Amino acid sequence: MAESFDFGGRISKQKHPTKIHETRAETDLANNMAQCINVGSKTQTPPCYETRELTKEALHNVGDLHLNGNVEHCCRGCFCYFEKSHTSVLGMRELAAAKGAKIICADDNEICANTYKKKPSKMQPHPMSCNSLFIYPLQCNFSGRKYPMDWIELVKKKEVDFTQSCGGQWYVAVDAAAYVSTTLLDLDRYKPDFVTVSFYKMFGFPTGIGALVVRNSSANVLKKTYFGGGTVLVSTARERFHVDRQGISDRFEDGTVAFLDIVALRHGFDTLHRLTGGIDNICKHTFSLGRFVHHQLTSYHHGNGAKVAVCYCDTDFEDMSTQGAIVNFNLLRANGSFVGYAEVDKMAQLHNIHLRTGCFCNTGACQWHLGLSTDTVLDNYKAGHHCGDNRDLINGVPTGSVRISFGYMSTFSDATNFLNFIKGCFVEGKLQIVQPSCNKAGSCQVKQNKTADNVGVIHGSKISDTGIYVASSKVLHCHRTTSVKSNIDFDGNKSPAVPLCPQGHRDDNYRQQTIYSSHHRVISDIFIYPIKSCGAFQVDSWQLGSRGLAYDRHWVIVTGSGVCLSQKRETKLCLIQPTVNLDLGLLKLEYPGADSIEIPLSVDESQVSDGHICQTKVSGDRIQGTDCGDPVATWLSSVLQRPGCRLIQQSQNDTRLCKLDSNDRTAPGDTQISLANQSQLLLIARSSVLGLIQHIADRHSTVETSMDLKVDVDSYVGRFRANLVVDRGEAFAEDDWTEVQVGTQNFICQGQCSRCQMICVDQSTGERSKEPLSTLATFRGRKIPFGIHLCHDPSGSHGNTISVGDSVLPTLMTDPVDQNQNT
């Protein structure tokens, strides 16, 4: 739409009937569409619409300025857009500006009935006749606010102040993508020139199909430059000559349309009507759910009386004509600080709740509701934040929010499940229900109605000598009672689990003080994960390479479509047990109930055929790899019951670099990494695992509950998929390290590891639960950190081997940084 709109006003003066233009689409499909969009009861013809990739492409097709003759004397129209519009509208702005149109951004206060009458415009009317376009959403996809339909006529009649800046004709386009999914659009009463709708938002299928509804009297203002197959009557190759087809749909349907998806639309409309009885019922149903959740959420308070949530709503959520079924909010802790939306999203996934986070492609509404100035947005960008990332808080201020939307398929159970999720995961202390009540004089006061228990009575537990955690009425003091087993030293002889701290391997010029715990920390476990997201291979001693531990996350399994497979999608990956045989140069793969298979640890890439060289993406990075062949691919597809799986080995020449920001205490220079998400190595402490288990027992033990809770400590250690496990020391003390010496090897600490639902997968069974992420989120704060990222520093190291039993000597840090986890 933006590309085709003629701001110059040089259109032919043909007369057109006021009815909606007929297209090639079948009449019965148009009649089905009329169930949600009333195109007028007096006309017998169907609406004009394009079955194209909406809403983006529909908006793209209006707004292109075609200049004829001398550019200096050509009329320049105006492109005015509503501030709280979708990003696609901002894209229209760039197309219009490139063609010379004057750009105007309007907010709510600039669009009212008597603005121009009460306050004459200071803008000078344009001396020439031209075309101008105003576009706004009928419903804000950020807050759910439904904007007045009266704006259409106000702009057309030039009764809004900004319309005086351009003479000629004003046209109005409305973005109805969010609106028509739950509300009837009456085009018989309200007469915009252009309407964009999304069928996907109506009933969830098919993806990418929508419509551009064009009023016949406004059709000729759309001027098209590009033409493709089927859109012209005739064209020549050597001469610049072509004749467009006359029908608007004929001109704009380039190439083959998605006719199979278009056929499915009829079934979508039929099903929508059969299940709900009509769009009016959908509107009432979804609004009641949204209103219920909004009012409940705003009434929730922590045990200390502080609000649980701040809702971003432009209405009181009492009138369905002004408010859609969208609840947008951010959560608050009891101390008043914000809970980042990324943390909320992680917990929601754990509870099978689908919600969206961020700014929802509506920068204007996001800035307005969150109070973000343009300078703040730019500063956040300079700080590394961009659309789609998980940097939800910068200096404690949200960069986005959380949104839930209700549709025809939503139920009251969905609403209560969401509220129970909020109460169970984010309310601190006893839930306080606080609602406003109005007295006879009309003033409102806050009234406390009731309280609800949210956190169970704290109880403790103990660790048995077998390493099993047993819940009881006694308090656990987080001490591991089992000792570290004997280990093998460099010479192959058994050595004590706690060797003396090595001397002479530490730089005497360290600016920070080395911490020597009264209980010397040691490495108790070393794990490598040869295949990303598959089982761990435990070793007593291992070598370090340029990317971290040798062969750690050196392979990755991809689907038939080339997408990296992880335990987030397929938990059975943890049951694939790899074994690295350095003597034979083989990687052995085992799976319960299946024969094992072996592949070479390394290949001569110079001898690999082009068909085995491939690329895939890991954590957003495109990596170069080698396909490991059909036999192992067949084996993987069989055990995972996923046809088309392939095993890719990272190329020796691949130069994937550390994902951590250079200003977050990363290692000097360019640090190469394997197929891990973020860093070379990940370290956790057993004491921290025990501390976490204590918190789990505290949350799940109650006075009425006598059932013992048994937790295998080693099983919980395995869930965090660390490379190095440290024994002894205080719980979570590793959060404050900047550097650490392990035996004779130095490592730079690169910040805390932010956790997701993967730690809820039992690595021995592949079963998923809500713990430990659910409890971890209650006391670890922003980004739910556990463990720290490490980068090997060869310059301060001796040799290249680390072993179980090596001493661990950390140095303090002053400003912890959260990062994403390795998988």
Side-chain angles (χ1 to χ4, degrees), residues 365-408:
C366 188
Q367 285 187 245
W368 193 89
H369 283 284
L370 299 182
L372 303 175
S373 66
T374 299
D375 288 341
T376 301
V377 172
L378 296 178
D379 289 341
N380 289 346
Y381 175 72
K382 293 177 181 178
H385 170 59
H386 57 79
C387 294
D389 68 10
N390 64 351
R391 300 197 66 169
D392 46 16
L393 298 174
I394 295 181
N395 298 324
V397 179
T399 60
S401 59
V402 182
R403 187 191 74 183
I404 58 173
S405 306
F406 293 100
Y408 73 91

Side-chain angles (χ1 to χ4, degrees), residues 247-259:
I248 184 171
S249 62
D250 295 332
R251 294 201 308 270
F252 281 88
E253 288 181 349
D254 294 303
T256 303
V257 296
F259 57 89

Side-chain angles (χ1 to χ4, degrees), residues 408-453:
Y408 73 91
M409 74 298 292
S410 302
T411 65
F412 182 73
S413 177
D414 295 330
T416 56
N417 287 340
F418 168 76
L419 293 172
N420 290 334
F421 157 68
I422 296 296
K423 290 185 290 186
C425 295
F426 297 102
V427 175
E428 301 176 35
K430 292 183 178 180
L431 174 66
Q432 307 291 321
I433 305 296
V434 181
Q435 297 176 339
S437 60
C438 297
N439 56 31
K440 294 183 179 180
S443 61
C444 294
Q445 299 176 341
V446 174
K447 180 180 179 181
Q448 180 172 315
N449 293 336
K450 59 182 178 179
T451 62
D453 288 331

